[in-house]
């Protein structure tokens, strides 16, 4: 039997900026994939030679939906260089704001970007839940869309209370934060939080967070499903029902290496406990390979530019030593993307909410992966239920801020000394790192590796595909003009091409 | 019913996320109430790639009228004027921008990148705004460009632009309400007052009670690099996300509504000579200002010197 291989180019909407994926399709199945970031924004031109604090203002502009996360990474890198110890309140305030940003991102991604594809008429008009999907997820008018816009907008008010505005504030500075929120404002934050929590439990989960946390296996998930109509009608319930019938539990498996930088440092005096005992942050840093958990080793992170449109010297380097000069464009030779290929210990690695769940040993996700592998469904389920893991601790920290209100929020840092520091944290989309070098009181090198660079990486010198390039292989494509299945796979990684577009040095 | 196409160029998406915080009205209500049909927005639409191609052909041939073109992000011309640093299906996106703009009744630049080039202007990516590159008129569409309505590009400056400004401008153009523009084509409605006006630190500024580190309550202008008295904009007058603004939270205004944002001198620091900022509040006379500030500092009330007035 001879089967013909078709080559199709898929542009992706609903991601920040620009992404095009080229795939080979044989017998209605993707047999190979190349992920191409089509935009280059050349940020570092303006970082080099600037004042040491300037990353706090410039890097949030890398990405509008996780601007605070970039701010946090930039601030952590400077905290390290200044070797300053933060007051507990500053840690709490930073964590609360970052959690609010992460949670809005998870819900907007799930409902406005992911489930929106369920209204794709050409692909799903025969799906038994199509009508309901349209009623919920029709752009700008679906019931869930309208609700998510309203509720996430309210949640973000907490960031405005803490930091002045969202997006693009710069309230995190080395040593802590720029302001002390007044007690009534903190109480308002608590009330905004309470309302959001109530809505999340009722509409997104369909049960209390405690009930959801009790679901620890695939079998228990099936029981939870049958238990009450509210569970089936919730966003989580509907997502599972629709996705299973559409087959999202059968494809989209990445390379099964998971990377996490860890996040939310714990204040010295706090009731919040780490997910894995013994670490000093809430979510766990580390690398997962096959069955092995490895401690995070920052020296194992390298960038490979064999297939990226950058000058090829050096081809592989640690971010502190990376040089990034744009070189060539269009279609030529091996390179095919403006995104570099980050590697951990030489391996491509998936990062994001599912990687966090694996690293935090969340039993349900370990069981799901054991059974079906890390499919598009599992990855997306990890995202929409992550707020259930963050909200309780977020509430605790708001309460602690109220209780410890009279304590300091800032440790003065007079000047930033020369030196090197890395700010490695978890963004909504996964591991984010800023590597900063200050020389003669100026930034001499600033390198960022974003989560999307990990997930949407092109091939490297060993010809290893990036995680979503791997995940696309084996994905069915019923209609090459409307490759919605490929969209499900890539969107389960929550791509954000704007931030993947590499920060580079100006070529002068 | 009027049609809207939202083009994303070289930007961060921050203006889209700002717009989602629009409160009166929220985004979905805004579009229904104004009877606007969103033909395309990269994050808020779900048409398949083939349908998007057809839409672009129909706009280009005039079959589908385009009433409002909203552009977010700069127009990228690098390398060497080719635009290949930002492509759409292999073609430079600057060309798509040109085609759409030539068919639109109104063209609105949302955010400082689209208005003036923003972060990439003057750098390797050769970013420009739609009708300006920093302070220089011209940009991607040219000095003489006017859209179908006879208006030049409407520049909603800000990084990001305030949500109420984007919503307000949409209301205006959807109803053909004329917007009066300043010399950088920013609507006077939102850009005829300084960011300074409405700042809760204003009294500290008046008596020159200065702040020289974070976490204090004084004015951020004299040492901390605040551009509040230097640039026009609605922050402080219109609160962000219903609650606050950067200066209220102790973060200096970075002057993001200005065509030359971001400047090359370091943020969080005011260039000065002997404590007097090089750049003085818009429109003041240097000699008078120095006398006045000296006296004001002398006359400062105790409650301000003690920083007991909350901000
Ligand atoms: S902090 Fe900035 S905006 Fe506020 S009064 Fe001072 S100069 Fe004006």
């Amino acid at each position: 039997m001879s089967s013909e291989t078709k080559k199709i180019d898929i542009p992706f909407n609903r991601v920040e900026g620009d992404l095009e994926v080229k795939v080979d399709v044989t017998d209605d199945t993707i047999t190979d994939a190349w992920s191409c970031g089509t935009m280059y924004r050349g940020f570092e031109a303006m970082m080099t030679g600037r004042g040491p604090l300037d990353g706090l203002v410039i890097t949030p502009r890398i990405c509008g939906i996780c601007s605070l996360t970039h701010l946090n990474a930039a601030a952590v890198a400077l905290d390290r260089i200044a070797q300053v110890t933060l007051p507990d309140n500053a840690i709490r305030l930073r964590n609360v704001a970052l959690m609010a940003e992460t949670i809005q991102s998870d819900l907007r991604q799930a409902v406005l970007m992911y489930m929106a594809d369920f209204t794709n008429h050409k692909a799903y008009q025969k799906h038994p839940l199509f009508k309901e999907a349209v009623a919920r997820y029709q752009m700008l008018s679906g019931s869930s869309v309208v609700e998510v816009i309203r509720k996430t907008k309210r949640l973000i008010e907490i960031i405005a209370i803490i930091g002045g505005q969202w997006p693009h504030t710069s309230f995190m500075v080395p040593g802590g934060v720029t302001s002390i929120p007044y007690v009534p404002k903190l109480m308002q934050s608590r009330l905004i939080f309470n309302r959001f929590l109530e809505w999340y439990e009722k509409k997104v989960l369909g049960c209390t967070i405690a009930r959801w946390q009790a679901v620890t296996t695939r079998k228990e998930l099936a029981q939870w499903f049958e238990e009450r109509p509210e569970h089936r009608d919730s966003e989580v319930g509907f997502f599972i029902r629709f996705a299973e019938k559409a087959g999202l539990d059968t494809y989209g498996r990445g390379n099964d290496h998971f990377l996490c930088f860890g996040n939310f440092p714990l204040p010295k005096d706090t009731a919040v406990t780490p997910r894995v005992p013994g670490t000093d942050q809430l979510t766990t840093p580390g690398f997962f390979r096959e069955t092995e958990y490895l401690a995070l080793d920052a020296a194992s992170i390298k960038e490979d530019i064999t297939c990226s449109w950058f000058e090829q010297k050096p081809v592989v380097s640690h971010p502190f030593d990376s040089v990034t000069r744009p070189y060539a464009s269009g279609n030529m030779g091996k390179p095919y993307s403006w995104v570099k290929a980050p590697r951990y210990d030489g391996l491509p690695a998936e990062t994001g909410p599912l990687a966090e769940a694996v690293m935090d040993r969340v039993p349900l996700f370990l069981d799901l992966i054991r059974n079906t592998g890390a499919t598009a469904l599992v990855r997306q389920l990890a995202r929409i239920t992550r707020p259930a893991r963050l909200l309780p601790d977020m509430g605790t920290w708001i309460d602690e801020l109220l209780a410890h209100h009279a304590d300091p929020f800032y440790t003065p840092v007079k000047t930033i000394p020369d030196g090197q520091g890395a700010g490695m944290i978890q963004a909504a989309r996964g591991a984010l790192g800023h590597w900063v070098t200050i020389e003669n009181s100026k930034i001499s090198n600033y390198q960022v590796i974003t989560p999307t660079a990990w997930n949407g990486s092109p091939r490297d010198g060993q010809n290893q595909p990036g995680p979503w390039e791997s995940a696309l292989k084996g994905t069915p494509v019923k209609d090459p003009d409307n490759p919605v299945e490929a969209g499900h796979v890539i969107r389960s990684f929550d791509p954000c091409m704007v931030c993947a577009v590499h920060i580079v040095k100006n070529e002068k | 019913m009027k049609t809207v196409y939202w083009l994303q160029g070289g930007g961060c998406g921050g203006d889209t996320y700002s717009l989602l915080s629009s409160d009166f009205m929220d985004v979905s209500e805004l579009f229904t109430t104004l009877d606007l049909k969103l033909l395309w927005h990269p994050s808020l639409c779900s048409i398949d790639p083939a349908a998007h191609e057809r839409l672009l052909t129909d706009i280009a041939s005039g079959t589908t009228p385009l009433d409002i073109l909203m552009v977010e992000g700069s127009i990228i011309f690098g390398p060497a004027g080719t635009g290949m640093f930002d492509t759409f299906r292999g073609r430079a996106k600057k060309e798509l921008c040109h085609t759409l703009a030539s068919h639109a009744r109104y063209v609105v630049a949302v955010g400082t990148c689209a208005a003036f080039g923003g972060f990439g202007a003057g750098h390797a990516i050769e970013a420009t705004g739609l009708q300006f590159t920093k302070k220089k008129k011209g940009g991607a569409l040219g000095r003489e460009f006017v859209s179908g309505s006879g208006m030049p590009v409407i520049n909603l400056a800000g990084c990001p632009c305030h949500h109420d400004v984007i919503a307000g401008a949409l209301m205006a153009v959807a109803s053909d309400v004329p917007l009066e523009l300043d010399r950088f084509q920013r609507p006077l409605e939102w850009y005829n007052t300084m960011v300074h006006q409405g700042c809760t630190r204003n009294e500290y500024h008046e008596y020159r009670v200065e702040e020289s580190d974070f976490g204090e309550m004084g004015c951020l202008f004299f040492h901390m690099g605040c551009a509040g008295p230097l640039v026009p904009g609605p922050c402080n007058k219109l609160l962000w996300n219903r609650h606050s603004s950067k200066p209220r939270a102790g973060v200096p205004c970075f002057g993001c509504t200005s065509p030359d944002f971001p400047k090359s001198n370091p943020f969080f620091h005011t260039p000065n000579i002997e404590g007097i900022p090089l750049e003085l509040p818009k429109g003041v006379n240097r000699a008078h200002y120095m006398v006045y500030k000296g006296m004001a500092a002398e006359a400062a009330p105790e409650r301000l010197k003690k920083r007991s007035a909350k901000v």
Side-chain angles (χ1 to χ4, degrees):
Chain A
M1 193 180 85
S2 76
S3 38
E4 195 198 344
T5 298
K6 279 190 233 130
K7 295 196 178 288
I8 47 177
D9 291 3
I10 314 173
F12 277 87
N13 58 313
R14 259 174 299 121
V15 297
E16 281 306 304
D18 298 71
L19 164 66
E20 287 175 13
V21 180
K22 297 178 196 307
V23 295
D24 280 356
V25 178
T26 315
D27 296 330
D28 299 332
T29 301
I30 295 177
T31 45
D32 212 345
W34 295 265
S35 173
C36 164
T38 61
M39 180 163 65
Y40 164 76
R41 275 173 79 213
F43 249 75
E44 198 174 86
M46 66 174 42
M47 298 297 296
T48 308
R50 293 207 60 130
L53 295 182
D54 286 4
L56 303 172
V57 181
I58 295 178
T59 65
R61 268 79 183 186
I62 292 172
C63 174
I65 201 167
C66 51
S67 64
L68 200 77
T69 317
H70 280 284
L71 172 63
N72 202 347
V76 170
L78 294 175
D79 290 338
R80 296 273 148 79
I81 296 174
Q83 297 184 334
V84 59
T85 309
L86 263 53
D88 277 2
N89 277 345
I91 298 174
R92 293 185 186 109
L93 220 47
R94 286 184 182 185
N95 287 350
V96 166
L98 190 56
M99 285 173 148
E101 180 170 273
T102 302
I103 294 166
Q104 67 83 32
S105 183
D106 284 347
L107 286 158
R108 285 177 175 176
Q109 198 277 345
V111 171
L112 307 186
M113 321 241 163
Y114 203 90
M115 265 100 99
D117 277 341
F118 295 166
T119 67
N120 189 305
H121 185 258
K122 244 157 102 193
Y124 290 125
Q125 52 184 316
K126 296 211 177 83
H127 191 293
L129 297 173
F130 179 66
K131 270 215 183 95
E132 198 183 339
V134 173
R136 284 170 181 254
Y137 307 124
Q138 184 72 36
M139 273 304 160
L140 292 179
S141 60
S143 55
S144 305
V145 169
V146 170
E147 257 187 40
V148 162
I149 291 176
R150 291 193 181 145
K151 301 298 176 183
T152 51
K153 171 175 90 180
R154 288 282 168 265
L155 183 70
I156 284 167
E157 290 179 9
I158 294 179
I159 307 177
I161 287 172
I162 294 172
Q165 71 177 64
W166 189 90
H168 295 347
T169 174
S170 299
F171 82 95
M172 299 181 198
V173 290
V177 293
T178 57
S179 77
I180 304 165
Y182 300 121
V183 171
K185 281 289 180 188
L186 285 171
M187 289 171 78
Q188 249 179 337
S189 304
R190 177 74 220 193
L191 295 179
I192 293 169
F193 169 86
N194 289 355
R195 282 201 180 167
F196 185 88
L197 176 67
E198 205 178 287
W199 170 78
Y200 181 81
E201 289 190 319
K202 190 161 167 226
K203 291 302 203 45
V204 180
L205 294 178
C207 65
T208 62
I209 284 181
R211 173 67 192 92
W212 174 254
Q213 301 295 44
V215 178
T216 59
T217 60
R218 198 174 172 215
K219 231 173 105 199
E220 285 171 12
L221 183 60
Q223 286 160 2
W224 172 85
F225 222 89
E226 297 309 319
E227 196 175 292
R228 308 174 65 135
E230 287 86 345
H231 297 176
R232 290 186 293 282
D233 288 341
S234 68
E235 298 305 339
V236 170
F238 185 80
F239 164 72
I240 297 174
R241 280 190 288 149
F242 194 104
E244 277 183 346
K245 280 218 176 62
L248 267 65
D249 53 340
T250 59
Y251 59 81
R253 189 164 175 177
N255 50 30
D256 290 356
H257 305 137
F258 297 100
L259 176 71
C260 199
F261 286 173
N263 211 16
F264 308 116
L266 300 177
K268 280 181 268 353
D269 178 14
T270 186
V272 175
T273 52
R275 300 274 184 261
V276 172
T279 61
D280 54 1
Q281 34 191 346
L282 179 63
T283 59
T284 320
F287 183 67
F288 180 87
R289 184 175 57 193
E290 277 128 41
T291 51
E292 244 187 317
Y293 284 98
L294 301 166
L296 185 72
D297 168 22
S300 300
I301 295 166
K302 299 271 162 62
E303 299 182 285
D304 184 314
I305 52 172
T306 309
C307 293
S308 318
W309 287 311
F310 295 105
E311 211 175 273
Q312 298 284 313
K313 266 183 302 183
V315 175
V316 181
S317 59
H318 183 270
F320 272 138
D321 311 316
S322 286
V323 184
T324 318
R325 293 200 185 94
Y327 186 77
S329 61
N331 299 317
M332 53 161 292
K334 243 187 192 173
Y336 59 92
S337 181
W338 286 117
V339 180
K340 286 183 176 185
R343 293 292 180 260
Y344 187 87
D345 207 6
L347 295 170
E350 170 174 345
T351 186
L354 180 60
E356 271 178 29
V358 170
M359 211 54 63
D360 286 345
R361 282 67 156 177
V362 178
L364 173 64
F365 288 96
L366 297 181
D367 192 62
L368 286 173
I369 288 177
R370 219 172 289 129
N371 280 287
T372 67
T375 61
L377 188 153
V378 173
R379 197 174 290 116
Q380 188 57 25
L381 186 66
R383 175 167 303 107
I384 193 174
T385 58
R386 175 168 55 184
R389 301 205 301 281
L390 297 182
L391 284 163
D393 296 323
M394 184 177 168
T396 305
W397 278 328
I398 298 177
D399 289 343
E400 289 181 2
L401 279 163
L402 276 160
H404 297 271
H405 183 260
D407 300 348
F409 284 75
Y410 174 64
T411 307
V413 173
K414 281 292 163 212
T415 45
I416 306 290
D418 284 2
Q420 280 194 322
M424 295 165 66
I425 65 167
Q426 284 293 114
R429 290 161 185 75
L432 169 70
H434 284 205
W435 284 265
V436 185
T437 309
I438 310 281
E439 264 174 307
N440 303 319
S441 306
K442 289 197 172 106
I443 294 171
S444 66
N445 194 20
Y446 206 111
Q447 202 67 34
V448 171
I449 302 181
T450 62
T452 298
W454 288 100
N455 290 330
S457 144
R459 284 160 173 71
D460 54 30
Q462 316 306 315
N463 209 29
Q464 298 180 96
W468 79 47
E469 289 182 336
S470 297
L472 280 167
K473 282 182 208 166
T475 300
V477 169
K478 291 183 200 104
D479 172 5
D481 275 346
N482 187 27
V484 64
E485 302 88 347
H488 293 324
V489 171
I490 295 196
R491 278 198 237 292
S492 71
F493 288 93
D494 194 1
C496 173
M497 293 316 288
V498 156
C499 48
V501 173
H502 222 276
I503 293 210
V504 299
K505 232 176 194 157
N506 201 6
E507 202 179 1
K508 279 215 177 114
Chain B
M1 183 167 60
K2 292 193 168 152
T3 58
V4 183
Y5 188 104
W6 186 295
L7 179 72
Q8 226 158 34
C12 69
D15 299 285
T16 291
Y17 293 107
S18 171
L19 177 62
L20 284 176
S21 280
S22 164
D23 212 58
F24 176 87
M25 319 164 124
D26 62 45
V27 188
S28 49
E29 264 184 292
L30 189 71
F31 278 84
T32 7
T33 312
L34 297 175
D35 199 19
L36 293 174
K37 184 175 158 65
L38 188 57
L39 299 173
W40 171 258
H41 181 294
S43 308
L44 302 173
C45 277
S46 58
I47 55 175
D48 63 68
H52 189 200
E53 279 294 308
R54 274 199 305 281
L55 171 67
L56 290 173
T57 320
D58 288 350
I59 294 174
S61 67
T63 325
T64 299
L66 177 57
D67 294 297
I68 305 164
L69 174 66
M70 308 286 278
V71 181
E72 174 178 8
S74 61
I75 307 305
I76 292 179
F77 275 72
T82 61
M84 293 313 278
F85 280 160
D86 185 16
T87 59
F88 176 76
R89 308 211 100 181
R91 284 183 1 233
K93 210 187 263 170
K94 67 183 169 82
E95 281 154 35
L96 178 59
C97 173
H98 207 272
T99 311
L100 291 169
S102 61
H103 288 86
R105 233 179 104 61
Y106 290 98
V107 178
V108 182
V110 193
T112 294
C113 288
F116 307 119
F119 281 91
H123 290 283
I125 62 165
E126 302 164 35
T128 74
L130 289 176
Q131 215 165 6
F132 281 87
T133 306
K134 298 224 169 214
K135 285 188 168 154
K136 196 167 149 259
K137 200 161 174 186
L141 299 175
R143 292 182 66 85
E144 309 302 328
F145 173 85
V146 282
S147 61
S149 64
M151 288 281 282
V153 174
I154 298 166
N155 284 332
L156 305 182
C159 181
C161 179
H162 193 286
H163 35 85
D164 294 355
V165 176
I166 311 174
L170 260 176
M171 289 178 208
V173 294
S175 329
D176 284 305
V177 172
L179 284 169
E180 210 186 321
L181 308 179
D182 71 3
R183 70 184 172 113
F184 295 118
Q185 292 168 205
R186 297 171 294 199
L188 290 177
E189 189 66 42
W190 301 287
Y191 299 92
N192 68 345
T193 56
M194 298 287 120
V195 169
H196 194 50
Q197 274 174 274
C199 176
T200 49
R201 293 170 191 261
N202 230 320
E203 201 181 21
Y204 287 101
H205 180 89
E206 200 179 320
Y207 290 104
R208 209 181 151 179
V209 176
E210 311 167 9
E211 186 167 324
S212 57
D213 199 359
F214 299 112
E216 290 283 337
M217 279 186 285
C219 173
L220 304 161
F221 173 65
F222 303 93
H223 299 292
M224 304 298 287
C226 184
L230 310 176
V231 300
C235 301
N236 287 318
K237 190 169 87 171
L238 304 175
L239 292 183
W240 274 92
N241 317 86
R242 298 206 307 169
H243 288 271
S244 194
S245 71
K246 283 204 288 291
R248 288 186 180 201
V251 183
C253 160
F254 301 120
C256 71
T257 55
S258 171
D260 55 12
F261 175 79
K263 285 192 178 168
S264 56
N265 42 297
F267 294 108
F268 301 101
H269 173 75
T270 308
N272 65 79
I273 300 173
E274 294 188 12
I276 299 290
L278 287 181
E279 238 188 305
L280 295 182
K282 200 182 168 202
V284 306
N285 170 297
R286 176 167 286 269
H288 287 167
Y289 184 77
M290 289 175 66
V291 175
Y292 152 64
K293 278 296 144 186
M295 284 165 63
E298 292 297 312
E302 277 308 307
R303 67 188 157 78
L304 291 184
K305 285 196 206 152
K306 282 201 213 120
R307 287 175 169 70
S308 53
K310 304 247 179 202
V311 287

